Amino acid sequence: MAKAKYMVTSGFLGAGKTTSMIAFARSVDRRWGRAAILANDLGARDIVDADYTAASSGVLTDRITGDCICYQHENLVDKLNRLAGQGADVIFSDIPGCGIGALDHVYLELERREPDEFTLMPFLCVVDPERLRMLMPERADLGFPGELRFLLDAQLAEADLIVLNKIDLLTPEEREQRMEFLTASYPGARVMAISALTGEGVDQAVDYLMTHTSAAVHREIGYGSDAFVAAERHFSWYNRRVFFEQTGQRDIDFNTVAEDLLETVRQGLKAAGGNVPHLKLFAAGEGSDFVKASLLGVDCPLEFARRLDRDYTAVSFIINARATADSQLMAAVADDAVRTVEAKHGLRSRTFFMEAFGMMEEGRSGGGRASRCD
């Protein structure tokens, strides 16, 4: 029996990794076999990408949470084998948008410990054309700490294949400019362009992925360096599942509630000097009805991948924020947003899960261990 093909997808927050993996998986399903997606995130089980993928794509989907796949090898291998056992010929997984080092921690470890179990496809980095401007000669200031440029550069330097996404938003001249920059700056990688939203270039990228493998050799990208630590210190993670219900038991438009909720978070962070490279919200209605909204920065417009088709008396929102703000600030801003939409729309809420943590905060990965004061 042929080995399952496996690919890691990296890319900065908001690059469109999930949308790209869905587009790739659908292309594989049409033309190459059966694909699966393994959604990864640092927090607990409530992650927007996994629920959104399962609800919207029809692609075989699982999740691996609690930490990056870089640090849970046995769990990753078990999940991959389970998906392969369910008939997946090709498995795509992502890593968190501030992550680097998966080439060593995932690919090289699979080569060393399970050399005959999986065929390693090219290690992929999806890049957003607007975020890319942070590295280009203009050195665009997008409202994020300057230290984050290190992470974006390292992600691109780690890749076998760089995919410029969202080309539907670019003029031909802008597209050519970015492709030339990527090709000149990262000569060790193949560079391709797609729009995961419209499908342009997706089949060509998949054909390349399906007919090539990763060299799976170490590349020095500065993982664990002072620059890496300085960049990671800026990030906090916020995850929440909150149930809203209408106190008058009448159907209302929860798309408006979602919009007001995210807008209030945006304004709160902006007033406090924080930012949110990626804020995501998801809620499922009846059948295939759902809403999925995103915010890619406090100065960016709110984006709806889809809105609810019907009004409801109650919904359960999953909210994931990856912020450049203190975790306690992020939590306080989100609490204020919940109270604001309760008052505005006549709602009451119950929070079933909430977590907020800084990437480098003591205790995040302590496993029950105590601190020591000397």
Side-chain angles (χ1 to χ4, degrees):
M1 185 174 69
K3 296 186 290 185
K5 293 179 178 287
Y6 173 56
M7 185 187 80
V8 168
T9 306
S10 78
F12 198 74
L13 294 158
K17 295 189 297 294
T18 300
T19 311
S20 296
M21 288 194 299
I22 291 172
F24 294 154
R26 286 172 168 166
S27 177
V28 170
D29 284 348
R30 286 197 320 269
R31 304 180 304 118
W32 286 95
R34 190 181 187 195
I37 292 174
L38 182 61
N40 175 226
D41 212 335
L42 302 183
R45 185 174 176 82
D46 291 321
I47 56 174
V48 167
D49 289 341
D51 283 31
Y52 170 63
T53 302
S56 66
S57 68
V59 175
L60 178 62
T61 304
D62 201 350
R63 69 189 78 202
I64 182 166
T65 58
D67 211 336
C68 179
I69 56 174
C70 296
Y71 311 117
Q72 40 182 329
H73 181 86
E74 291 79 8
N75 193 13
L76 171 64
V77 172
D78 179 64
K79 292 281 189 178
L80 295 177
N81 282 325
R82 287 174 182 267
L83 289 168
Q86 295 175 64
D89 305 300
V90 181
I91 304 167
F92 301 113
S93 75
D94 60 346
I95 60 173
C98 64
I100 62 173
L103 182 63
D104 284 1
H105 291 98
V106 178
Y107 271 30
L108 269 62
E109 282 298 288
L110 285 171
E111 285 279 85
R112 183 176 70 85
R113 298 167 66 174
E114 285 84 21
D116 300 317
E117 288 199 36
F118 308 101
T119 297
L120 299 180
M121 303 166 74
F123 191 98
L124 177 71
C125 180
V126 179
V127 62
D128 172 273
E130 181 68 7
R131 306 283 208 246
L132 183 60
R133 293 175 56 229
M134 295 192 299
L135 300 180
M136 296 176 71
E138 64 194 271
R139 302 282 282 184
D141 180 4
L142 305 182
F144 304 134
E147 291 89 344
L148 303 194
R149 291 187 176 95
F150 164 81
L151 292 177
L152 177 55
D153 176 61
Q155 289 169 346
L156 293 165
E158 191 173 24
D160 297 315
L161 172 64
I162 297 171
V163 170
L164 176 68
N165 190 22
K166 306 182 185 180
I167 57 173
D168 54 295
L169 303 178
L170 301 176
T171 66
E173 293 77 16
E174 289 170 335
R175 173 177 171 174
E176 182 179 3
Q177 181 187 41
R178 284 160 175 77
M179 291 291 286
E180 288 179 352
F181 173 80
L182 288 167
T183 301
S185 301
Y186 305 97
R190 174 71 182 269
V191 179
M192 304 183 78
I194 70 165
S195 168
L197 182 64
T198 68
E200 182 181 356
V202 169
D203 285 350
Q204 291 86 346
V206 167
D207 290 346
Y208 182 86
L209 290 167
M210 293 295 294
T211 55
H212 292 76
T213 58
S214 175
V217 295
H218 170 75
R219 295 180 181 178
E220 185 52 56
I221 58 171
Y223 180 83
S225 65
D226 290 344
F228 171 79
V229 173
E232 294 287 331
R233 285 191 187 281
H234 286 286
F235 284 109
S236 66
W237 245 235
Y238 179 85
N239 301 313
R240 186 170 188 160
R241 181 182 287 273
V242 56
F243 178 77
F244 287 104
E245 56 184 340
Q246 224 290 325
T247 55
Q249 290 300 302
R250 61 183 177 85
D251 289 346
I252 67 169
D253 179 7
F254 274 95
N255 295 310
T256 303
V257 176
E259 188 169 354
D260 289 342
L261 186 65
L262 297 191
E263 184 61 34
T264 306
V265 171
R266 178 222 297 275
Q267 295 301 330
L269 284 174
K270 194 169 185 176
N275 210 328
V276 59
H278 207 179
L279 172 60
K280 299 172 283 187
L281 176 148
F282 175 86
E286 293 182 355
S288 60
D289 197 17
F290 67 87
V291 58
K292 199 261 187 175
S294 301
L295 183 65
L296 302 184
V298 295
D299 294 317
C300 297
L302 182 62
E303 300 176 5
F304 277 85
R306 181 167 166 177
R307 295 175 182 265
L308 291 163
D309 294 327
R310 297 183 51 190
D311 294 347
Y312 294 92
T313 59
V315 301
S316 182
F317 284 131
I318 302 173
I319 304 165
N320 299 153
R322 287 61 181 114
T324 50
D326 179 81
S327 61
Q328 294 184 10
L329 169 63
M330 182 65 230
V333 167
D335 285 343
D336 180 65
V338 169
R339 290 190 295 266
T340 297
V341 298
E342 282 181 322
K344 181 175 181 178
H345 295 279
L347 303 171
R348 56 175 170 253
S349 71
R350 284 173 282 168
T351 294
F352 290 99
F353 173 81
M354 194 281 286
E355 63 180 350
F357 54 87
M359 285 298 298
M360 306 299 288
E361 284 182 354
E362 183 179 10
R364 184 180 77 84
S365 301
R369 291 190 295 273
S371 297
R372 183 185 66 192
C373 291
D374 292 323

